[in-house]
Amino acid sequence: MLIVFLGAPGAGKGTQARTLAEKKNLTHLATGDLLRAEVAAGSDLGLAAKTFMDRGDLVPDDVMIRMIQGRLDSPESAGILLDGFPRTVAQAQALDDALSAEGAGVDRSIYFEVSEEELVRRLAGRSTCPGCQRAYHDTFNPPKSAEECDGCGTKLIEREDDKPEAVRNRLKVYGTQTTPVLEYYKSAGILVEVDGEQSIVAVQTDLAAAVV
Ligand code: AMP
């Protein structure tokens, strides 16, 4: 099974992906998390990607496509949940090509619909664990102990790209480069829309119904 999560930054993809992957025994592949691990490790890829990420721009397609190829096998799980990929039509096409070479394809593409006003509110109050990448929100999803990750106890940080200028750019980039991907999956007949403005638990319920 291969599931793709689509939606603007702050739509709740990462939070929901973690829970769904656990529930359905899926391998959670979050390209943003993979890139941040490369940045933290100081690898050549990380150094090249950091400038794009800090500005809120997309990392070039060829880098991302190479990163995702070779990770599409899931021998120890029931399938793969892609979170943050594809973000351009070229990436979506490359994904289809890689999968069809193995006689497979994307089974479902889930779009988290959230208004821009709500996205800005969420990103403004967001903090992230640099250890396990869990995201929190001051009001909607606060950590149990102030400023520490519930999962691993690491001190939470504000991501560089959650600062206002980068957020504005990320939303613009999403509008121009990623929204055409919605049409790509819609015309393939595999797009499912979920109301991402509901509570975390209500979105979980809708997702469980969409991914059976
Ligand atoms: P995320 O954690 O998904 O919000 O991703 C953080 C940043 O990583 C994005 O703003 C991009 O700079 C980069 N990134 C993650 N996934 C992709 C992708 N599929 N294509 C291009 N850039 C990506």
Side-chain angles (χ1 to χ4, degrees):
M1 173 151 62
L2 198 136
I3 296 170
V4 163
F5 272 12
L6 288 174
K13 302 186 299 295
T15 300
Q16 295 294 341
R18 244 168 265 279
T19 319
L20 187 71
E22 204 170 299
K23 211 187 277 173
K24 302 271 181 191
N25 183 30
L26 301 170
T27 301
H28 176 201
L29 276 185
T31 44
D33 293 355
L34 294 172
L35 287 168
R36 280 184 289 278
E38 296 283 348
V39 172
S43 70
D44 288 346
L45 170 60
L47 289 175
K50 189 174 185 317
T51 325
F52 294 100
M53 295 171 75
D54 285 352
R55 282 200 301 256
D57 283 333
L58 294 185
V59 174
D61 282 338
D62 58 329
V63 176
M64 296 313 300
I65 290 164
R66 246 181 292 131
M67 171 179 259
I68 217 71
Q69 280 167 346
R71 293 184 201 254
L72 293 174
D73 290 331
S74 59
E76 272 148 36
S77 67
I80 290 179
L81 199 172
L82 279 178
D83 161 12
F85 187 99
R87 264 173 153 101
T88 64
V89 170
Q91 291 180 13
Q93 275 161 347
L95 177 63
D96 276 348
D97 291 347
L99 293 170
S100 71
E102 316 215 335
V106 174
D107 294 288
R108 199 138 314 157
S109 176
I110 305 206
Y111 168 47
F112 293 72
E113 203 175 1
V114 176
S115 68
E116 184 155 333
E117 193 190 355
E118 175 68 9
L119 294 170
V120 170
R121 253 182 350 128
R122 288 184 184 182
L123 291 167
R126 182 156 91 166
S127 53
T128 304
C129 173
C132 68
Q133 306 287 336
R134 272 199 217 191
Y136 297 87
H137 188 278
D138 296 351
T139 314
F140 313 127
N141 183 27
K144 291 197 181 81
S145 153
E147 295 180 27
E148 276 177 14
C149 177
D150 296 350
C152 66
T154 307
K155 190 169 173 358
L156 302 176
I157 55 156
E158 182 187 32
R159 275 170 46 177
E160 198 56 43
D161 61 350
D162 280 344
K163 297 194 169 146
E165 197 177 325
V167 164
R168 272 194 294 278
N169 191 38
R170 284 161 77 201
L171 293 175
K172 195 174 97 204
V173 165
Y174 173 78
T176 54
Q177 302 196 51
T178 307
T179 51
V181 179
L182 299 178
E183 198 46 51
Y184 182 91
Y185 288 121
K186 200 173 194 174
S187 54
I190 53 171
L191 188 77
V192 178
E193 295 190 10
V194 167
D195 176 2
E197 289 205 21
Q198 305 174 93
S199 69
I200 292 175
V201 172
V203 175
Q204 270 167 11
T205 307
D206 283 2
L207 279 177
V211 181
V212 277

